[in-house]
Amino acid sequence: MVVSDSLTCDVAVIGAGTAGLAAERAARKNGASTLLIDPEFRGTLCANTGCMPSKLLIAAAKEASRIGQAHTFGIEVGEMRIDGPAVMRRVRSERDRFARLTRESFDDLPDGVLIQACASFDGPNRLVLDDGRAIEAKAIVIATGSTAAMPGPFAELGDRVLTNESVFELEDLPRRLAVVGSGSIGLELAQAFAHLGVDVALFDRGDRLGKIRCPKVHDALHEIISADMAVHLGVDVTPERTDDGVRVCWSGNGDKEGEATFDLLLAALGRPPHLDGLELEKAGLECDDNGVPCHDRATMRCGESSIFIAGDVAADLPLLHEASHDGAIAGRNAAALPVMIETERHVAFSLIFTDPPLARIGEGEDDGAITGTADYSDQGRARVEARNEGVVTLYAAAPDGKLIGADLVAPGGDHLAHILTWAIQRGTTASELLEMPFYHPTLEEGLKNALRTICSATPISLPQDQDTGTPPGA
């Protein structure tokens, strides 16, 4: 490549997603001159193919589920008809609005910051662009995100296979859908399509849905998901394209085997870091077995280099709030180089927007924790709303019962998880949380039994003014 032009800056950021935007903003805020490099500037993954379109589909599914349960309350609504094309049109229309708003944010950046190109390393402090230019930077932030995994047998399905990057382009709902992978994408979309009347089957070679640690929570989740679709865990899947769909054969230990035909297959097999074309070997970085540059999460610095990494490409916690935090840390430290500012990271916190929501927070029982469990199958407020299903398990450390983690699938779980995460982040004990006011009747009340179990297993007794029982069904 013949280089026709050269640019210089303090901090160059590769990738204009959530992490890259946060990194550029933090570096510029701290006095650095910046360049933000991206081949498309199409907006964030969240807005285009992640958080927002999936929640739009889930919102339609929840409404269909709610209407379908109206008879429980003595309300007859007649025969419900789901207009698949209308559902998908709204998903795309609102998705496009969110994506447009993220793209419009690029207009707020100073002139000359945006560079539309593909970048690769030509040294620890040098990038070459596919338009022939080069960039010399004092520090570089890699924020190239992730891409949907597509192993060979699945790629051979052609237009019969979907990922989160293509599923929202469907013009109509399929009749039958196979979903392979039971992580956040697989669980959310499988249940959403099922609630919209699609015949769904869920497959995973693992034996745990959603990486939930607590067996009681997992059993409750399995029962909930199995009520909506066929669930096949611990199986290997072999897909094959047919004239009118996809034939899926599965097999596992014992009698876990079968075959079925579907219109389409959704491959929810994870999103590995997008590192193709970066030519990291020229940057001189040490990488792990998966090719991801080794880095310190307290600084997001790669070894002792002037290169930082942020967001999904770092393969730590591929979540939007973590990507934003990564970017802010990386951008600030890139601007401050060689001075490094270590940042204490938030407690690990992931939510899966199933119905009811699923959450995994902090540390688990394997870390020597005391546990307390609350069963929501007969919890008062949940039963009033005919949402009485699920389990919450809390983890706490001895000897004082300090909360360190939780697994839960429960009505209002997205809100309960935030309360618990904030409590864990602040180092709150089960006893201290019980001292807080709990209004009756609320879903939050359901946490009290789990908290009391932890208190009874630690030397810290219940507060003197705290009642020792909960009314039946509360």
Side-chain angles (χ1 to χ4, degrees), residues 127-207:
L127 298 172
V128 291
L129 308 180
D130 61 354
D131 62 8
R133 293 181 291 176
I135 295 175
E136 298 284 348
K138 295 179 182 178
I140 296 171
V141 179
I142 304 170
T144 48
S146 60
T147 55
M150 185 62 70
F154 293 89
E156 292 172 5
L157 299 176
D159 60 3
R160 297 290 182 183
V161 66
L162 304 167
T163 68
N164 71 294
E165 295 170 3
S166 59
V167 66
F168 305 113
E169 302 306 320
L170 287 174
E171 295 293 330
D172 196 357
L173 301 172
R175 291 183 305 106
R176 302 195 69 199
L177 177 68
V179 178
V180 182
S182 66
S184 57
I185 294 172
L187 279 175
E188 286 185 359
L189 296 184
Q191 191 187 51
F193 278 112
H195 284 178
L196 289 167
V198 178
D199 184 1
V200 177
L202 179 65
F203 303 88
D204 199 300
R205 63 169 35 180
D207 59 4

Side-chain angles (χ1 to χ4, degrees), residues 393-421:
T393 292
L394 306 182
Y395 306 107
D400 58 355
K402 183 176 76 171
L403 297 172
I404 61 171
D407 284 329
L408 64 90
V409 58
D414 46 345
H415 302 293
L416 296 175
H418 275 88
I419 292 171
L420 293 169
T421 300

Side-chain angles (χ1 to χ4, degrees), residues 30-73:
N30 284 279
S33 60
T34 61
L35 291 173
L36 181 62
I37 309 154
D38 193 277
E40 296 180 296
F41 288 103
R42 64 192 294 258
T44 63
L45 167 70
C46 169
N48 281 286
T49 61
C51 315
M52 302 317 291
S54 64
K55 301 314 166 286
L56 285 161
L57 188 71
I58 289 168
K62 288 185 70 173
E63 191 68 8
S65 179
R66 185 185 66 84
I67 294 169
Q69 292 179 341
H71 66 278
T72 302
F73 302 94

Side-chain angles (χ1 to χ4, degrees), residues 203-206 232-238 249-259:
F203 303 88
D204 199 300
R205 63 169 35 180
H232 305 281
L233 298 180
V235 298
D236 289 312
V237 168
T238 303
C249 299
W250 64 92
S251 61
N253 293 329
D255 58 355
K256 294 181 179 179
E257 60 181 29
E259 177 182 315

Side-chain angles (χ1 to χ4, degrees), residues 258-282:
E259 177 182 315
T261 301
F262 303 87
D263 299 328
L264 296 167
L265 183 148
L266 173 64
L269 301 168
R271 293 187 57 85
H274 181 59
L275 296 163
D276 293 348
L278 285 177
E279 299 192 44
L280 289 175
E281 65 279 2
K282 295 182 181 179

